[in-house]
């Protein structure tokens, strides 16, 4: 992808959306490790870190489907600035919190803001992209997230210092800076949504597709589970790598660089996703990357040198870059047309369920079996996702999957093995 690609006529909205998402995600990616470090400075142990990380996803768990329903019947763009305000407020108030309970609460507000932004943004991409362009546009859209994940941890690591007992003060300052970064994204949210979008792409206000019907659509459960596994891996890496660094004597600045290296590899993956899809096909690409990511996640449990850890995280980041954009396309194309935003919201509900359950489980496992054990759990989850990808691929080859929408005339179909 180049800047020229995003600036083609009619696609300026995508460039602005990528920029806004980069700042919003950068704020969250800076705040998440800062929350962990601030919690540690307030006396939190591994279990408490797991609970605080899980609360980040708790409010979104209940709000995702109602927000998706609302977006199916109306405009998507208003959710974006509302989400930015919640992100900025959650970051700033987390920096001023002086108890673990308050930190958990404001972390939940931050998570709700992130959910609002992502539901609105994903729905815009789904609504304004032709079927044959969805893999590409979702891939470009998620580059914004990866850019934020690249810059955020570096900034957090640079700002946070544990020297002379300064961690409480410096982590609070990092959270305030993250609030300011989130606010910058408001400048790129103009003219994101086409008001003249075809009416057929919006749901009939009287229509309300049951959640059960959406979940029974072939491809939706697989897309949800793969997304859950990939996001859980990214989330626990972000929250628990600082704890690993504390146990192994790795400085916060180095941990920030390692997390950003993973994000940079994810960006590299998404830049070459279209040719990878053309060569390997959807099933082989999803299955291979999930399997390799599972092995690498489990490998983080080993007491390897920092250089080896950097290589492992780079390859892991590349593998994790596949699951999110392809799972978005999988869900959008499998869901009923009048309920695509709700289906995306269900996918995000699955993500948030994973963000609640995985960190809580990780905290319990870490408390009993040591800090490396959660990464073994992540490895098993990703390997299970790889198995589901193989099963889904066999079902599609047998002809059980619904027929894909035809690509636009004159365009090469990037991948005939759709989910």
């Amino acid at each position: 992808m180049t800047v020229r690609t995003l600036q083609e006529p009619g696609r300026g909205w995508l460039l602005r959306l990528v920029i806004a998402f980069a700042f919003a995600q950068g704020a969250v990616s800076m705040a998440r490790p800062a929350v962990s470090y601030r919690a540690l400075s307030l006396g939190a142990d591994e279990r408490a870190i797991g609970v605080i990380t899980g609360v980040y996803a708790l409010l979104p768990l209940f709000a995702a489907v109602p927000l998706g329903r609302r977006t199916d019947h109306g405009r998507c763009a208003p959710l974006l600035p509302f989400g930015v305000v919640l992100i900025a407020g959650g970051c700033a108030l987390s920096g001023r919190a002086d108890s673990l309970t308050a930190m958990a609460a404001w972390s939940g507000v931050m998570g709700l803001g992130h959910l609002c932004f992502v539901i609105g943004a994903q729905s815009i991409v789904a609504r304004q992209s032709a079927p044959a362009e969805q893999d590409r546009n979702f891939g470009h859209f998620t580059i914004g997230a990866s850019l934020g994940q690249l810059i955020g941890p570096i900034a957090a690591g640079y700002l946070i210092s544990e020297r002379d007992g300064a961690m409480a003060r410096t982590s609070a300052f990092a959270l305030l800076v993250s609030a300011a970064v989130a606010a910058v994204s408001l400048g790129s949210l103009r003219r994101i949504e086409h008001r003249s979008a075809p009416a057929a792409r919006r749901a009939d206000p009287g229509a309300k597709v049951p959640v059960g019907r959406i979940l029974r659509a072939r491809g939706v459960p697989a897309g949800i589970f793969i997304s859950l596994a990939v996001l859980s891996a990214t989330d626990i890496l972000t929250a628990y790598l600082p704890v690993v660094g504390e146990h192994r004597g790795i400085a916060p600045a180095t941990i920030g660089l390692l997390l950003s290296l993973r994000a940079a590899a994810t960006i590299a993956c998404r830049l070459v996703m279209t040719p990878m899809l053309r060569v390997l096909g959807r099933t082989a690409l999803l299955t291979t990357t999930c399997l390799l990511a599972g092995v690498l996640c489990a490998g983080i449990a080993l007491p390897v040198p920092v250089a080896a850890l950097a290589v492992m995280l780079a390859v892991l980041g590349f593998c994790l870059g596949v699951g999110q954009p392809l799972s978005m396309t999988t869900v959008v194309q499998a869901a009923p047309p009048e309920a695509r935003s709700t289906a995306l919201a269900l996918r995000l509900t699955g993500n948030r369920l994973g963000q609640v359950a995985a960190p809580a489980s990780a905290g319990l496992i870490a408390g009993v079996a040591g800090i490396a054990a959660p990464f073994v759990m992540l490895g098993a989850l990703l390997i299970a996702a790889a198995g589901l990808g193989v099963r889904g691929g066999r079902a599609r080859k047998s002809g059980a999957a619904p027929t894909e929408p035809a690509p636009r005339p004159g365009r090469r179909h990037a991948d005939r093995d759709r989910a």
Side-chain angles (χ1 to χ4, degrees), residues 46 92 133 153 159 172 174 265 285 315 341 358:
E46 288 85 354
E133 298 173 339
L159 293 173
L285 185 59
V315 180
S341 291

Side-chain angles (χ1 to χ4, degrees), residues 14-15 30 62 64 68 71 93 161 170 195 203 211 262 301 346 374 376:
L14 183 57
L15 177 60
M30 185 189 306
F62 299 103
T71 307
L93 292 168
S161 172
T170 55
R195 292 176 179 267
V211 169
R262 181 211 60 79
L346 286 169
V376 177

Side-chain angles (χ1 to χ4, degrees), residues 110-151:
M110 189 196 314
L112 182 60
H114 189 258
L115 175 82
C116 291
F117 188 98
V118 171
I119 285 182
Q122 289 183 7
S123 298
I124 288 173
V125 176
R127 185 174 289 175
Q128 297 181 177
S129 302
E133 298 173 339
Q134 285 174 347
D135 274 333
R136 181 192 64 189
N137 286 357
F138 275 123
H140 291 174
F141 165 70
T142 53
I143 286 175
S146 298
L147 286 170
Q149 291 167 356
L150 171 65
I151 297 169

Side-chain angles (χ1 to χ4, degrees), residues 101-416:
T101 302
M103 289 204 66
W106 296 125
S107 181
V109 171
M110 189 196 314
L112 182 60
H114 189 258
L115 175 82
C116 291
F117 188 98
V118 171
I119 285 182
Q122 289 183 7
S123 298
I124 288 173
V125 176
R127 185 174 289 175
Q128 297 181 177
S129 302
E133 298 173 339
Q134 285 174 347
D135 274 333
R136 181 192 64 189
N137 286 357
F138 275 123
H140 291 174
F141 165 70
T142 53
I143 286 175
S146 298
L147 286 170
Q149 291 167 356
L150 171 65
I151 297 169
I154 291 179
Y158 178 79
L159 293 173
I160 298 170
S161 172
E162 56 186 343
R163 294 179 181 176
D164 303 321
M167 186 180 290
R169 176 177 55 82
T170 55
S171 59
F173 179 67
L175 286 164
L176 294 175
V177 171
S178 68
V181 171
V184 174
S185 66
L186 293 171
S188 298
L189 293 180
R190 295 178 298 104
R191 300 193 307 274
I192 290 287
E193 186 174 17
H194 297 163
R195 292 176 179 267
S196 59
R201 292 193 183 187
R202 299 189 183 187
D204 180 357
K208 190 174 183 179
V209 180
V211 169
R213 179 186 163 195
I214 299 171
L215 291 175
R216 285 193 299 271
R218 185 176 298 277
V220 171
I224 290 173
F225 186 83
I226 290 169
S227 179
L228 181 155
V230 171
L231 187 64
S232 294
T234 303
D235 204 56
I236 290 180
L237 276 172
T238 302
Y240 270 83
L241 206 59
V243 184
V244 170
E246 283 289 293
H247 280 255
R248 298 185 187 176
I250 304 173
T254 303
I255 292 294
L257 288 172
L258 289 173
L259 288 171
S260 296
L261 177 63
R262 181 211 60 79
T266 298
I267 294 173
C269 170
R270 288 167 182 169
L271 288 172
V272 298
M273 185 172 296
T274 299
M276 286 195 300
L277 281 167
R278 188 177 298 119
V279 172
L280 296 176
R282 178 185 298 276
T283 300
L285 185 59
L286 270 175
T287 301
T288 303
T289 53
C290 283
L291 182 62
L292 184 54
V295 173
L296 289 168
C297 267
I300 294 175
L302 301 174
V304 297
V306 173
L309 186 61
V311 173
M312 292 168 65
L313 285 169
V315 180
L316 177 59
F318 191 91
C319 293
L320 292 177
V322 171
Q324 292 288 46
L326 293 193
S327 68
M328 292 176 199
T329 307
T330 296
V331 169
V332 165
Q333 295 187 350
E338 66 274 21
R340 287 175 175 171
S341 291
T342 304
L344 286 168
L346 286 169
R347 173 186 169 275
L348 289 170
T349 300
N351 287 353
R352 295 307 187 256
L353 181 61
Q355 286 182 300
V356 171
S361 302
L364 291 173
I365 293 171
V368 173
I371 191 58
F375 297 101
V376 177
M377 180 194 73
L378 284 179
L381 190 65
L382 286 164
I383 290 171
L388 189 60
V390 171
R391 182 180 176 185
R394 288 174 179 170
R396 287 191 295 273
K397 288 179 181 178
S398 70
T403 305
E404 292 178 36
R408 285 182 173 180
R411 284 188 175 272
R412 173 182 282 183
H413 205 347
D415 179 20
R416 296 186 180 276

